Amino acid sequence: MINAADVIALLPILLISATAGVVMLSIAFRRSHVLAAGLTLAGLAGAFISIFPALPFAPRQITSLLLVDRFALFYIGLIIASAAVVAMISYDYFEHQDIHHGELYLLLLLATLGCAVLVASTHFVSFLLGLEILSVSLYALIAYLKDRDQGLEAGIKYLILASASAAFLLFGMALIYAAAGTMEFSRIREISSGSGDLVLLGAGVVLTVTGIGFKLGVVPFHLWTPDVYEGAPAPVAAFVATTSKTAVVALLLRYFGLSSVLQYRGVFVVFAIIAIASMCAGNLLALEQRNVKRILAYSSIAHFGYILVAFLAGDAMATEAVSFYLVAYTATLLAAFGVVTVLSSAKRDADDIEDYRGLFWKRPVLASVLTVALFSLAGIPATMGFVSKFYVLATGAAASSWPLILILAITSVAGLFYYLRVVVALYSAPPARVFTETISISKSGMFNVVALSIVLIWSGIYPTPLLNLVRANMVRANMVRTDPGRTAAVLGDARNGSFVTKPNR
Amino acid sequence: MILVWLIGILLIGGVLASFAGRWSAQLPRWISLIAIGTDFILAVIIWAGSAFHGSRPWLDEVDCNWVPSLGIHFHLALDGLSLLMLILTFLLGIMSVLASWTEIREKVGFFHFNLMWVLSGIAGVFLAMDLFLFYFAWELMLVPMYFLIVIWGHERRVYAAVKFFLFTQCSGLLMLIAILALYFIHHRTTGVYTFEYSELLGTKLGGAELWVMLGFFVAFAVKLPAVPLHTWLPDAHTEAPTAGSIILAGLLLKTGAYGLIRFVVPLFPDAAREFAPIALGLAAIGIVYGAVMAYSQTDLKRLVAYTSVSHLGFVLLGIFSLNQLALQGAVMTMICHGLSTGALFVLVGGLQERLHTRDLGQMGGLWAVVPRLSGAALFFGLASLGLPGLGDFVGEFLVMLGSYRVSIAATVVTCLGVLASTFYALRMVQRAFQGPNAHAWKIPDLNPREAFMMIVMIVGLLWLGFFPQTVLNTSAQALNNLQVQSPVAALWR
């Protein structure tokens, strides 16, 4: 049964759903871009604020589907914040398009809802529900500018591949259910450590990894990434790159943490191969790109390879490193896509590298923001990206996975090459021909990207507050590989709805 | 606190210069000159007072928590070695501002912003005593240097800048991994997470020591540069604007040598001893190779760039001879090379500004046209070939005295390099300044600003050549302290 405490704990998710409903009704009565955007932002702000009253009730298991703990609330906060940034940079971008504006925000809210459900889910049912809410909204969002051929192509590509991967995911879940007789993450552990059918279970886990890997866009499930990033409107691409992937990584941490399947050599090796392949392919394939959105796409493939390196360490530090990395990555990519969005005109996105040539001498602020974002992606000190990369390397070193971190270091040098290509363009002499097409710089977009770049630099120089925030919110039970006895006790409590965490540092 | 100010003045000055560039092209130059000049005076004042400090390990120190959860401190400390490097940094900083006074006409504000930030990064490298902070400064100095090359460089600037950045980044990441390895091994043996230099000294690394040392060594060898990791250097030095070349040759290369002295040998004494024969070999090869390559260049700036490879070979030789004499020589060579090569780059930059070419074939007979410039070039050419009475001679002589005790073979090869240096230095002077003025050049001689720079560096080199003891005393104090702290004390006698 759901009681008042459960409702308060679920308040962020409930408020996002309610906002979606309100926006839908408002469209029915009055079509107004400002109204829809305003309601969306107000709803997101309300949901964000409602995290604070929910905190005292965490951790709280609500039915067997959702677990609202500090981990989930932390990620919900991150997701809401990034969705709000996307909403804000979307306004001016879509304002000059001859389309219906309201549905955009509706879809955005639904996708955010899907993400929020994902990070709180502890059960295959909520996992699939969240994932499908997210995916279905994304199909429409990616193809939202239906006059652009590339957008339609990207939308359909995403639709087909996402459906296929969802089918794999479902099949994997069925196999696990057949082997374990349960769909709760935490119970899978009992089977995997006991006498269950390990072959079925292993096959099931690998198939679910397919579904997760597709959403993360890691090799070999990465084929959609560049096309979708290129075809989707820039703000939507930003959402796909940050919010949706953040949610799936959080789910991955939870799923593997609770079910502790990473202790199997086979699963570990699969992930290690995926990580290595993503780092190499992402960085190498980006070398030949001349399209900024595609460069960001390939770079994101590589970055999720890095995240997997930390994830594979499988201990408490890994959870922290991955979470910190996601915060840094989200802020960085939102800044980068924010600049692309602000520079885009009504006819096309500013995604060719030539659009950026000499930008520093024309628009120094935007060029500086993009420089900071690119340096953050490259992991240059004094940006948040450096601290997160350092954290990942430290996690790998602590777990003695030297081959992985060596590959990380070497491939990220290749990565530097294509980031520098954009930076070189930014600072080279402006082209002789003058663009007749003038764009009006969006004020809200400017505000967002400048704020993000300040966050990037501030957290790069003084990361302590953010590190502490991440540390305080990472549930220790997400790591069960090292201490089976204590975890079993914790999990027992979890099922009774009184999940207790003991910080051991 | 003065250490924080030394860096802070440069950072703040850089921001001010960047804003001032909007109103006037002259203002950023003066702001930079005042900021770096202030730092220079502060550093000299510290030096003048340093004799009174006696046996304290650090002349000055700042230590506060930065990221406590990871054991990262903001720890700056100054000893004689750091102090000498800082004074060199600020002196060459002033020179590079003066050298770009008329050369840089576009985007002056942003240029001086980058100039001062690269100097602050270098100062950070010389002061950091927390390995994380060291890495932070190490990487941070690259970014403004990259911009200096890529925006204000010559024809092939993009290629050179990217190559420079990739080389240093790749080696830097290897060092980062090595730092992390050291950090975790230290934790495993002592239970303490720390990046603090003095605590990490003496960590028992066992079988991993050689690998961890190699991680550091590669990073420093790329910067130094040691053959075969030097290929970025000729490109970067040649394509950079004059100020960039001065900073690259005079200072960035020294950060590599400083890293070897400060970190590699004290942290990994056993591995360093084991690795020394290879390092000595690389050094000897570098000395000869750099000199031969310098001889065969037709681009004057590239010629000067290759002499750096040769001179820094002496530094590497001195460090890995692992005795006090050679080490003193290495420090001396670092300082003198900064002055003599810096001055040569100023002269080449001045020539290029006047002739619009760096091609030796286009020059000739310039002595009659620009006697003062040519005379200065002859002086620094002689300094570069190691003429007694000038600073470079003292450094190289000490290095060879020390290395002879360790490896006669390497020292003999080194002597060949010294011989070759005579050829390239004299060839440079002959081709550029003597013979007939075939192209009928008519160009102005050194103006007062350039003459002032030349006089400062000439006086500096003469002083270092005749009274090296003042500098040697300061560095000896620091090197002695390094010995006391590190378990290689026995090794360095």
Side-chain angles (χ1 to χ4, degrees), chain B residues 96-385:
Chain B
S96 39
V97 174
L98 290 175
S100 24
W101 205 267
T102 54
E103 183 188 299
I104 303 298
R105 295 169 187 280
E106 285 177 20
K107 301 139 193 171
V108 181
F110 193 53
F111 177 85
H112 287 88
F113 170 82
N114 282 308
L115 189 72
M116 287 211 260
W117 278 52
V118 74
L119 289 175
S120 68
I122 293 168
V125 164
F126 289 140
L127 289 172
M129 287 304 145
D130 180 281
L131 283 180
F132 183 90
L133 180 64
F134 174 75
Y135 181 78
F136 197 88
W138 179 262
E139 293 288 297
L140 206 57
M141 67 185 178
L142 300 183
V143 177
M145 192 67 232
Y146 165 79
F147 281 128
L148 284 181
I149 302 176
V150 89
I151 300 179
W152 293 276
H154 304 305
E155 307 82 30
R156 295 173 69 222
R157 56 179 180 269
V158 172
Y159 169 79
V162 170
K163 192 170 177 183
F164 162 72
F165 207 95
L166 290 184
F167 262 76
T168 41
Q169 262 285 319
C170 186
S171 59
L173 279 170
L174 293 179
M175 177 167 78
L176 179 60
I177 293 176
I179 291 176
L180 285 170
L182 185 63
Y183 172 76
F184 284 108
I185 292 172
H186 182 262
H187 169 252
R188 216 171 289 155
T189 48
T190 63
V192 181
Y193 282 117
T194 182
F195 285 99
E196 171 61 36
Y197 170 70
S198 54
E199 289 184 40
L200 291 172
L201 280 175
T203 302
K204 297 269 177 296
L205 290 163
E209 184 174 342
L210 188 63
W211 292 105
V212 178
M213 190 223 55
L214 278 178
F216 279 83
F217 180 80
V218 166
F220 298 138
V222 164
K223 267 284 169 54
L224 195 58
V227 177
L229 301 171
H230 66 285
T231 63
W232 62 271
L233 181 139
D235 291 316
H237 282 53
T238 311
E239 302 304 328
T242 304
S245 306
I246 297 172
I247 293 175
L248 272 172
L251 301 172
L252 277 197
L253 308 190
K254 306 309 179 315
T255 60
Y258 172 84
L260 289 174
I261 297 175
R262 170 79 69 197
F263 296 107
V264 170
V265 178
L267 282 172
F268 317 106
D270 296 330
R273 198 182 302 130
E274 205 178 317
F275 188 71
I278 299 175
L280 291 179
L282 289 178
I285 294 171
I287 291 167
V288 176
Y289 172 86
V292 171
M293 288 303 283
Y295 179 75
S296 46
Q297 297 304 316
T298 55
D299 182 329
L300 188 56
K301 207 168 178 185
R302 226 174 156 81
L303 187 156
V304 180
Y306 269 109
T307 66
S308 293
V309 177
S310 184
H311 285 136
L312 271 294
F314 279 101
V315 176
L316 185 62
L317 191 73
I319 294 168
F320 275 89
S321 294
L322 299 173
N323 57 48
Q324 181 85 12
L325 206 56
L327 200 63
Q328 288 276 28
V331 174
M332 196 70 193
T333 308
M334 283 158 72
I335 296 168
C336 297
H337 169 260
L339 289 180
S340 62
T341 310
L344 281 174
F345 276 124
V346 172
L347 289 171
V348 175
L351 271 180
Q352 181 170 21
E353 215 180 324
R354 290 167 169 81
L355 306 175
H356 302 287
T357 179
R358 304 186 302 265
D359 187 357
L360 271 177
Q362 300 284 316
M363 300 177 191
L366 293 178
W367 197 293
V369 189
V370 283
R372 273 175 280 168
L373 193 154
S374 311
L378 177 64
F379 179 88
F380 291 110
L382 291 177
S384 189
L385 67 80

Side-chain angles (χ1 to χ4, degrees), chain A residues 6 57 59-62 67 491-500:
Chain A
D6 292 344
F57 293 94
R60 194 161 189 88
Q61 181 82 37
I62 297 154
L67 169 62
L491 289 175
D493 291 340
R495 241 170 279 127
N496 302 330
S498 61
F499 195 97
V500 183

Side-chain angles (χ1 to χ4, degrees), chain A residues 182-354:
Chain A
T182 178
M183 296 216 254
E184 287 174 49
F185 297 163
S186 51
R187 294 240 179 115
I188 295 171
R189 194 178 167 278
E190 295 164 16
I191 306 303
S192 62
S193 56
S195 56
D197 188 341
L198 289 181
V199 177
L200 264 188
L201 190 69
V205 168
V206 171
L207 284 174
T208 52
V209 166
T210 312
I212 293 170
F214 171 79
K215 270 279 177 293
L216 294 183
V218 287
V219 178
F221 315 109
H222 65 287
L223 292 170
W224 59 274
T225 321
D227 293 334
V228 168
Y229 278 39
E230 188 186 1
V236 175
F239 187 88
V240 175
T242 58
T243 320
S244 73
K245 292 190 175 182
T246 303
V248 177
V249 172
L251 176 103
L252 184 71
L253 284 171
R254 176 89 85 190
Y255 173 32
F256 276 67
L258 288 180
S259 64
S260 79
V261 285
L262 202 58
Q263 62 183 322
Y264 291 112
R265 187 136 194 90
V267 177
F268 185 89
V269 169
V270 166
F271 267 101
I273 291 172
I274 290 178
I276 293 171
S278 303
M279 290 190 284
C280 295
N283 280 322
L284 295 180
L285 290 175
L287 290 178
E288 286 305 310
Q289 298 300 327
R290 297 249 154 220
N291 180 309
V292 174
K293 279 158 97 184
R294 288 184 87 88
I295 287 179
L296 289 174
Y298 283 110
S299 119
S300 86
I301 295 173
H303 277 276
F304 281 87
Y306 305 159
I307 287 179
L308 287 183
V309 169
F311 168 74
L312 278 173
D315 52 10
M317 197 175 173
T319 312
E320 290 163 15
V322 170
S323 304
F324 189 84
Y325 205 102
L326 283 173
V327 177
Y329 173 81
T330 302
T332 308
L333 264 202
L334 284 176
F337 271 114
V339 174
V340 176
T341 307
V342 170
L343 286 174
S344 296
S345 66
K347 288 192 198 71
R348 54 177 285 273
D349 280 6
D351 54 5
D352 189 355
I353 202 162
E354 291 304 314

